[in-house]
Amino acid sequence: MTFSRRTFLKAGFLSSTVFLMDGSALFAVTTPIDTIRVLHLDLFPQAERLHISTAPYMHIIFHHSRISKEDKEFIKNGVKWLNEAAIKEHKVIYTKLPFLKRQKLLKKISKTQWGESFLYNIMGYMFEAMLGDPIYGGNNRDAGWQWLAFEGGKPRPKKAFL
């Protein structure tokens, strides 16, 4: 895949750094996409086996004209809050935790208002990625459709609608 300068600059949101503080000191630096990749596998473990990835779809979401700035910012903040919760609880960022500790942390944050909203929101986008048309980058080789024994709608789009 060839990237133009514009595509590279647009991708900046998901590759931008999130600075995580522990008190007044810098504790860690991560990117939203790193956390979303691991979160996707934690919420949908079968996705790796099926070769389904949320990352390409999330790039589209963060540049789609119909997704509000507030929704995009909420996802980025949710990633930050998830990592801050991991640091508070385990002294490491979310992506560095073992699977079982990540699962416990997800259960814990799901009982908070922000955590429930964040997980509900991000899971919606993950379902869209896994079950949408492959042209959007998440449903590689129709894997999500095959998983559900579903045939996509016809006619299929020729390009991603942005």
Side-chain angles (χ1 to χ4, degrees):
M1 176 182 276
T2 307
F3 288 102
S4 67
R5 181 174 179 266
R6 177 180 293 263
T7 303
F8 176 77
L9 293 172
K10 284 171 133 185
F13 181 88
L14 286 176
S15 60
S16 65
T17 53
V18 175
F19 295 98
L20 301 163
M21 308 299 281
D22 186 19
S24 61
L26 178 65
F27 185 86
V29 177
T30 189
T31 64
I33 199 66
D34 289 339
T35 302
I36 289 171
R37 275 190 188 115
V38 174
L39 182 59
H40 183 229
L41 296 176
D42 288 344
L43 296 171
F44 302 98
Q46 68 279 12
E48 187 170 39
R49 181 179 54 78
L50 297 171
H51 306 289
I52 298 172
S53 173
T54 304
Y57 184 74
M58 292 307 288
H59 280 287
I60 290 174
I61 290 301
F62 280 106
H63 300 98
H64 200 289
S65 61
R66 293 194 178 175
I67 306 297
S68 72
K69 181 181 174 186
E70 292 79 17
D71 286 348
K72 295 171 189 176
E73 198 62 31
F74 181 69
I75 292 171
K76 187 174 180 179
N77 284 335
V79 164
K80 182 179 179 194
W81 299 329
L82 176 61
N83 279 290
E84 288 173 344
I87 291 168
K88 182 178 179 183
E89 187 90 13
H90 302 287
K91 305 294 184 227
V92 295
I93 61 174
Y94 180 78
T95 57
K96 302 292 184 196
L97 289 172
F99 177 77
L100 290 176
K101 286 187 178 182
R102 290 193 312 262
Q103 290 297 310
K104 286 181 182 180
L105 184 64
L106 290 176
K107 285 181 185 177
K108 185 175 182 175
I109 70 155
S110 72
K111 295 175 183 163
T112 67
Q113 185 176 355
W114 76 264
E116 180 183 20
S117 295
F118 172 67
L119 292 173
Y120 179 83
N121 192 302
I122 200 76
M123 285 177 71
Y125 288 119
M126 288 177 180
F127 274 117
E128 287 178 12
M130 293 187 301
L131 303 175
D133 193 279
I135 199 161
Y136 293 101
N139 185 7
N140 298 324
R141 298 179 301 225
D142 303 343
W145 293 347
Q146 291 172 20
W147 173 48
L148 295 177
F150 173 78
E151 185 176 329
K154 305 276 190 222
R156 303 251 319 259
K158 300 208 183 315
K159 65 178 188 166
F161 173 72
L162 295 175

